[in-house]
Amino acid sequence: MKAFRIKISSWTSSFRYPNLISGFQPTLEVPPVSTVMGLINAASGRYWENREITLGYYFSFKIKTVDLETIYQIKANDKNYPEATVKPNVIQREFLYDCKLFLYLTNEDLIAAFRQPAYQLLLGRSGDLAGIESIEKVELNEVNNARFAGQVVPFNGNYLAGQIQALPKYFSNTIPRRNLGTEPYSVISCYNPVQSPLTGYRPDLEEFDSDIFLHKFEV
């Protein structure tokens, strides 16, 4: 299969656990599919219907550590309007350092968008600015019993071992945004590869030891 590999890097990344509210903010070690779709939309400057896209990716980082972050809490009144008082608070937030995202796409219109992105690219939060290192044509060779790392794989029907987390598949193009489906995923860190009985794709420009799972949306 012909595809394009887009290599993206950032100093830091942080991927929030959905529905988790606590004083300590952990990070996933792999971006959810919805985060990668947001990156594609930012590069394109438009909202893509998820059924139009087939994508695969591999994400790596060097270290995971914790930073202190000041947040400002604004209380709402009984009419749900913000009050004029702001309360500062300090929380601990995990983040990943020296991050790489290898994104595989087959749609050439999307590749053109990454050559001149419409908006800034982020790998996580608003401070996690990312840049494009290279765009290469690659061959994805189908392999059986694929070995996966640095990506998420839908749990239903695949049943891979490891961390399982309910993650959003995509978000609507509305205000406020609506979650267009949550399902369980196996979150497979680059440091904990999983040998599977699944079919995967092996890129010929490998800088890492993992096959690629291709996501095809049906929402």
Side-chain angles (χ1 to χ4, degrees):
M1 176 188 297
K2 301 290 183 185
F4 289 87
R5 188 194 76 172
I6 305 163
K7 184 178 180 182
I8 300 170
S9 64
S10 70
W11 285 357
T12 60
S13 291
S14 183
F15 308 112
R16 182 176 177 270
Y17 279 73
N19 305 319
L20 178 62
I21 300 174
S22 74
F24 180 77
Q25 294 287 317
T27 178
L28 295 165
E29 295 189 359
V30 181
V33 176
S34 58
T35 298
V36 178
M37 284 299 300
L39 192 74
I40 292 171
N41 288 341
S44 303
R46 54 160 288 195
Y47 180 81
W48 285 83
E49 296 290 340
N50 48 5
R51 63 174 62 89
E52 299 177 56
I53 296 176
T54 298
L55 66 88
Y57 60 92
Y58 173 87
F59 178 83
S60 68
F61 61 94
K62 278 196 174 175
I63 61 170
K64 179 169 69 173
T65 187
V66 179
D67 197 8
L68 293 177
E69 182 177 286
T70 301
I71 62 172
Y72 296 92
Q73 298 170 305
I74 302 173
K75 185 179 178 180
N77 60 25
D78 54 2
K79 295 182 180 178
N80 204 30
Y81 288 103
E83 294 184 347
T85 56
V86 177
K87 178 184 175 183
N89 196 3
V90 176
I91 64 169
Q92 291 182 306
R93 185 183 301 282
E94 278 188 337
F95 69 96
L96 311 172
Y97 174 71
D98 197 0
C99 307
K100 307 286 184 189
L101 176 70
F102 297 84
L103 175 60
Y104 295 87
L105 297 169
T106 56
N107 186 323
E108 292 206 38
D109 292 338
L110 294 178
I111 307 306
F114 278 94
R115 297 189 191 282
Q116 193 168 4
Y119 299 104
Q120 67 271 27
L121 303 181
L122 305 172
L123 270 179
R125 293 163 53 81
S126 59
D128 300 323
L129 188 63
I132 298 172
E133 291 192 17
S134 63
I135 300 176
E136 306 275 357
K137 283 185 178 179
V138 296
E139 185 73 28
L140 296 178
N141 300 300
E142 187 173 310
V143 294
N144 297 320
N145 300 317
R147 181 178 185 271
F148 295 119
Q151 55 201 293
V152 299
V153 176
F155 180 74
N156 292 335
N158 298 317
Y159 309 114
L160 299 185
Q163 180 188 7
I164 301 170
Q165 177 68 42
L167 298 173
K169 296 173 67 176
Y170 203 35
F171 287 92
S172 68
N173 189 27
T174 59
I175 300 175
R177 293 187 302 165
R178 290 185 297 106
N179 186 338
L180 297 181
T182 295
E183 67 175 68
Y185 286 88
S186 296
V187 182
I188 308 169
S189 170
C190 62
Y191 294 112
N192 295 295
V194 171
Q195 190 68 46
S196 83
L198 307 180
T199 297
Y201 293 86
R202 186 163 297 167
D204 58 1
L205 279 178
E206 288 185 340
E207 296 182 34
F208 49 83
D209 184 15
S210 174
D211 300 317
I212 299 298
F213 182 89
L214 289 183
H215 298 265
K216 297 179 180 179
F217 294 104
E218 298 177 353
V219 174

